[in-house]
């Protein structure tokens, strides 16, 4: 088992930049939840409902979600709604995949996970690790909006404030708020820790430098 640093935050908060900064060093191995979702989406397009367990496939059929669970559109246009569909049937689906990946990385001292979004993610990742430390990147709405406009990802061609509000609501529906509120209970404080990094930086280089210092201090990593 290994130590895990989990990154949380709203769209455009800087999670990917933080993730890439840490995993560019020898101190961290990385897993991205969006990559797990993409891998599963691609597998679904090859196998259809056969990729799911019998229990999950049966639940999809009982709820009449076959079309939503097996879309044939472009991943950039379809994946967010597809993730919503799968989580509505099995809230632990992607969390279980992440836990299995972490369990297989026992030679890595510290694994950083980008994009934890639900209590199920926390529970499965916590079970697969010796210690789970969560970091919430708190970034102002206006800063996040400008970042999304500038980064030019597929599906993010027409960015405005309402777009980001809708994205925030979707992320929150997946459970980020629940992670923070659940942490208030004593039982969960035994399983993981939450710290906040206030990412109010216009300079990417400044953000990277200060985030690395923050994590080094948090995890007691010697420079």
């Amino acid at each position: 088992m290994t130590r895990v640093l989990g990154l949380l935050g709203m769209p455009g908060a800087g999670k990917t930049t933080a993730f890439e900064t840490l995993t560019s060093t020898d101190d961290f191995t990385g897993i991205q939840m969006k990559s797990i979702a993409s891998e599963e989406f691609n597998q679904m397009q090859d196998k259809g409902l056969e990729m799911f367990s019998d229990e999950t496939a049966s639940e999809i059929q009982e709820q009449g979600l076959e079309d939503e669970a097996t879309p044939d559109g472009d991943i950039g246009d379809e994946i967010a709604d597809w993730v919503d569909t799968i989580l509505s049937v099995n809230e632990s689906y992607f969390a279980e995949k992440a836990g299995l990946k972490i369990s297989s990385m026992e030679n890595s001292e510290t694994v950083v996970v980008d994009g934890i979004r639900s209590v199920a993610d926390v529970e499965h990742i916590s079970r697969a690790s010796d210690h789970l430390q969560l970091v919430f990147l708190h970034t102002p709405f206006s800063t996040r909006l400008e970042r999304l406009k500038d980064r030019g990802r597929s599906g993010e061609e027409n960015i405005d404030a309402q777009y980001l509000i809708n994205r925030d609501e979707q992320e929150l529906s997946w459970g980020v708020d629940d992670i923070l509120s659940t942490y208030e209970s004593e039982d969960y404080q035994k399983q993981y820790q939450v710290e906040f990094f206030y990412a109010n930086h216009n300079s990417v280089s400044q953000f990277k430098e200060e985030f690395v210092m923050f994590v080094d201090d948090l995890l007691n990593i010697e420079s």
Side-chain angles (χ1 to χ4, degrees):
M1 297 180 77
T2 189
R3 175 174 62 181
V4 174
L5 176 72
L7 305 179
L8 299 84
M10 293 293 97
K15 298 186 299 295
T16 299
T17 299
F19 174 85
E20 291 175 348
T21 300
L22 295 179
T23 55
S24 67
T25 73
D26 295 331
D27 292 318
F28 296 92
T29 305
I31 293 176
Q32 290 182 293
M33 296 300 293
K34 66 181 180 181
S35 295
I36 292 175
S38 295
E39 291 167 5
E40 294 298 309
F41 184 91
N42 290 331
Q43 185 177 349
M44 174 277 300
Q45 291 198 312
D46 290 337
K47 297 183 178 180
L49 288 182
E50 293 181 4
M51 70 167 285
F52 300 108
S53 68
D54 291 342
E55 182 179 1
T56 299
S58 295
E59 189 65 28
I60 288 170
Q61 292 171 324
E62 287 178 10
Q63 294 188 31
L65 296 174
E66 293 95 332
D67 290 343
E68 291 85 348
T70 57
D72 57 6
D74 179 76
I75 188 170
D77 297 330
E78 301 281 353
I79 192 166
D81 291 338
W82 179 76
V83 167
D84 276 342
T85 298
I86 302 308
L87 291 178
S88 73
V89 174
N90 180 353
E91 65 177 8
S92 296
Y93 184 82
F94 302 103
E96 290 172 358
K97 305 298 181 184
L100 290 172
K101 279 183 177 289
I102 291 168
S103 295
S104 70
M105 302 168 74
E106 55 187 17
N107 293 327
S108 300
E109 181 178 350
T110 305
V111 176
V112 55
V113 181
D114 171 24
I116 292 176
R117 292 186 174 92
S118 70
V119 172
D121 290 345
V122 170
E123 290 177 340
H124 283 274
I125 291 171
S126 179
R127 291 190 202 116
S129 63
D130 290 314
H131 176 71
L132 174 59
Q133 171 69 64
L134 299 180
V135 174
F136 186 93
L137 280 75
H138 189 283
T139 308
F141 183 92
S142 58
T143 302
R144 295 191 291 112
L145 180 59
E146 289 306 311
R147 286 179 181 172
L148 264 63
K149 287 180 178 179
D150 291 342
R151 70 187 186 183
R153 288 184 183 174
S154 175
E156 295 181 352
E157 290 82 9
N158 298 305
I159 304 296
D160 58 16
Q162 187 59 53
Y163 169 89
L164 185 53
I165 290 170
N166 294 341
R167 284 284 306 277
D168 283 357
E169 290 176 348
Q170 185 173 49
E171 294 268 343
L172 291 171
S173 74
W174 290 338
V176 173
D177 267 359
D178 291 337
I179 293 173
L180 300 179
S181 60
T182 300
Y183 177 64
E184 298 300 321
S185 74
E186 184 176 344
D187 288 343
Y188 274 86
Q189 289 185 28
K190 297 175 183 176
Q191 295 183 36
Y192 64 95
Q193 301 292 315
V194 180
E195 296 288 344
F196 289 80
F197 178 76
Y198 293 89
N200 189 16
H201 305 90
N202 292 323
S203 165
V204 174
S205 60
Q206 182 186 6
F207 169 84
K208 291 179 178 180
E209 181 180 351
E210 293 191 12
F211 186 72
V212 168
M213 291 174 61
F214 173 85
V215 170
D216 286 353
D217 182 61
L218 189 62
L219 300 183
N220 295 315
I221 297 175
E222 295 183 1
S223 299

